[in-house]
Amino acid sequence: MSTETANRHSDLSRRLIQQANYELDQKGDRVQACEKASGAVAQAVKAIAEDRQWRHGSHNLRRTVVDLIAAEYQLPDMILLQAVADQLHENFYEDRFHETQLRERIQRATELLEQLWIIRERGPNPSFVPDSQQQQTIERLQLSNEEAAADPLIDFPPPLPPFEPPDS
């Protein structure tokens, strides 16, 4: 994990969101606009994760990174970023959004991406003290890919307790 790689992710994020708007505005290609916007989010999150030496190789890991960043900077709306990206990614396959819906989501993604780019420039929030669960999540993200692969359940929440309905 390196700054050079993080910068590549960040640069690609900026390029992809520009391409998303171009695809929609100039070509009317909703499907490509969705995929470019979704990719822009993924690349921006990967840049921050790369800077912090956190794993980021799946949608779920990137969702976790966004959740931590939202908590670290007290920006609860930031968790919407991955949700919007997931909707856009799904629409790449389904093409169900009307243009207005798509424009709203790409606009929201763009606004949140701009915040994320600023956060990356600032670096980690020195006054953030993660709670015990957040600290555990950070430690899991800091595992190498090999360490994480040794426990295939490491990135999943703990198992649910058994279901024991009350006697009727």
Side-chain angles (χ1 to χ4, degrees):
M1 297 188 182
S2 71
T3 301
E4 182 180 341
T5 303
N7 289 340
R8 287 176 58 100
H9 287 304
S10 184
D11 292 345
L12 187 52
S13 173
R14 293 171 193 272
R15 176 185 173 171
L16 287 171
I17 200 65
Q18 289 176 330
Q19 284 183 279
N21 285 293
Y22 174 81
E23 291 290 345
L24 187 59
D25 295 340
Q26 301 301 314
K27 291 185 160 185
D29 191 334
R30 295 181 311 275
V31 172
Q32 283 301 312
C34 284
E35 192 65 354
K36 300 296 191 245
S38 173
V41 171
Q43 294 297 325
V45 174
K46 287 166 87 62
I48 287 181
E50 192 75 22
D51 284 339
R52 294 168 185 228
Q53 298 184 359
W54 292 350
R55 290 179 302 116
H56 51 78
S58 72
H59 286 86
N60 193 49
L61 289 173
R62 290 188 297 274
R63 191 173 297 110
T64 300
V65 170
V66 170
D67 288 351
L68 285 169
I69 297 302
E72 180 178 338
Y73 284 92
Q74 298 175 13
L75 294 170
D77 283 353
M78 187 58 68
I79 63 171
L80 299 174
L81 180 60
Q82 189 61 47
V84 169
D86 290 345
Q87 289 176 350
L88 291 166
H89 184 67
E90 180 181 338
N91 198 64
F92 171 74
Y93 295 103
E94 302 301 328
D95 192 24
R96 301 274 187 206
F97 285 154
H98 292 279
E99 188 172 330
T100 302
Q101 293 172 302
L102 184 54
R103 283 190 187 287
E104 289 171 357
R105 283 161 179 81
I106 290 177
Q107 179 59 37
R108 188 68 173 140
T110 302
E111 292 165 2
L112 291 168
L113 274 171
E114 289 169 358
Q115 285 184 334
L116 201 57
W117 296 331
I118 291 168
I119 286 170
R120 179 173 181 246
E121 289 173 15
R122 288 183 186 158
N125 181 352
S127 63
F128 176 64
V129 178
D131 64 27
S132 61
Q133 200 164 23
Q134 291 165 333
Q135 184 59 43
Q136 182 182 29
T137 300
I138 291 167
E139 289 168 8
R140 284 194 326 257
L141 288 173
Q142 290 174 333
L143 294 174
S144 70
N145 289 329
E146 294 77 21
E147 291 169 319
D151 181 356
L153 300 178
I154 194 74
D155 293 320
F156 289 94
L160 291 170
F163 177 68
E164 297 176 12
D167 292 336
S168 306

